[in-house]
Amino acid sequence: AQSVTQLDSQVPVFEEAPVELRCNYSSSVSVYLFWYVQYPNQGLQLLLKYLSGSTLVKGINGFEAEFNKSQTSFHLRKPSVHISDTAEYFCAVSRSSASKIIFGSGTRLSIRP
Amino acid sequence: GAVVSQHPSRVICKSGTSVKIECRSLDFQATTMFWYRQFPKKSLMLMATSNEGSKATYEQGVEKDKFLINHASLTLSTLTVTSAHPEDSSFYICSAPDGSNQPQHFGDGTRLSIL
């Protein structure tokens, strides 16, 4: 079985500062890893995905994540955040593109001017 | 690109009413769809896997008689919340893989409020 742990429930940062949202996963098999963003009162939007290949994955809105197999981590980073990045961020894992997706508990990113 | 349409986006109804939510794949066939539930300020929890032409597979703790799932065609899965009560109020969202190696497609979700 797979599981996902997001260590930080809330991350406050100042505008234009860098941010890292942490995610660790557990699985006995190879997995696909994702980061989703959910803006207030909206659905999910895919930020980026790791399926295979390069461990550094670039996504939309200037976000990137690095797959680290030895540490079973998939942390999300952005070098300079904007007010518009205020949202809930979910790390997720699945065994394949057709399998159920297991979500982490989410990290609320709040940006201070 | 591939799109999943979920309807309605929001519904408010009285306690005891049954509510049907539709999840439709617009330009691909989906033999499998997934239904998730999200409580306020919480994460998404898988409720069930909808299988075209066969019974849905429910996660542990999800009442199959309460949450009826029908997947009668390759492009439509429905979730019916039967005799809904205030504790069923939540955000329900579906997803569907399109058969490629790419991530699944999510609907925009349905916000259900039971008064």
Side-chain angles (χ1 to χ4, degrees), chain A residues 37-98:
Chain A
V37 60
Q38 186 178 35
Y39 298 103
N41 298 311
Q42 293 189 29
L44 294 178
Q45 182 178 6
L46 179 67
L47 271 181
L48 48 78
K49 60 184 184 291
Y50 173 78
L51 307 182
S52 64
S54 174
T55 57
L56 183 62
V57 181
K58 293 191 182 297
I60 62 171
N61 301 342
F63 285 93
E64 65 178 32
E66 186 158 17
F67 169 63
N68 188 318
K69 188 174 182 179
S70 62
Q71 296 186 7
T72 60
S73 67
F74 191 55
H75 302 330
L76 180 71
R77 293 189 285 262
K78 185 170 183 177
S80 176
V81 296
H82 302 284
I83 291 287
S84 58
D85 293 322
T86 298
E88 189 85 20
Y89 291 79
F90 293 98
C91 183
V93 63
S94 70
R95 287 190 62 177
S96 73
S97 59

Side-chain angles (χ1 to χ4, degrees), chain B:
Chain B
V3 175
V4 167
S5 174
Q6 189 171 340
H7 178 82
S9 58
R10 185 178 182 94
V11 59
I12 302 171
C13 56
K14 294 181 179 180
S15 186
T17 307
S18 290
V19 179
K20 180 184 284 188
I21 302 169
E22 293 186 347
C23 182
R24 197 179 295 271
S25 58
L26 297 185
D27 57 358
F28 65 96
Q29 294 182 333
T31 56
T32 301
M33 292 186 178
F34 300 95
W35 287 97
Y36 298 85
R37 180 175 182 176
Q38 184 181 32
F39 288 103
K41 300 187 186 300
K42 297 293 184 182
S43 186
L44 290 87
M45 301 298 294
L46 180 67
M47 299 176 65
T49 302
S50 175
N51 304 298
E52 187 270 334
S54 64
K55 291 183 179 180
T57 305
Y58 289 82
E59 296 299 299
Q60 190 173 9
V62 178
E63 299 176 61
K64 59 182 67 177
D65 295 330
K66 176 74 170 177
F67 299 100
L68 299 179
I69 290 173
N70 185 281
H71 195 154
S73 80
L74 286 170
T75 59
L76 176 64
S77 174
T78 61
L79 168 67
T80 301
V81 184
T82 61
S83 187
H85 289 93
E87 58 266 28
D88 299 322
S89 298
S90 199
F91 188 64
Y92 295 86
I93 191 166
C94 67
S95 73
D98 64 10
S100 72
N101 198 35
Q102 293 306 306
Q104 296 180 26
H105 306 281
F106 280 85
D108 289 334
T110 298
R111 191 162 302 281
L112 175 63
S113 300
I114 309 298
L115 305 177

Side-chain angles (χ1 to χ4, degrees), chain A residues 10-26:
Chain A
Q10 293 187 62
V11 173
V13 294
F14 286 104
E15 193 173 16
E16 298 184 9
V19 69
E20 179 179 83
L21 305 184
R22 296 181 292 171
C23 172
N24 287 89
Y25 70 94
S26 174

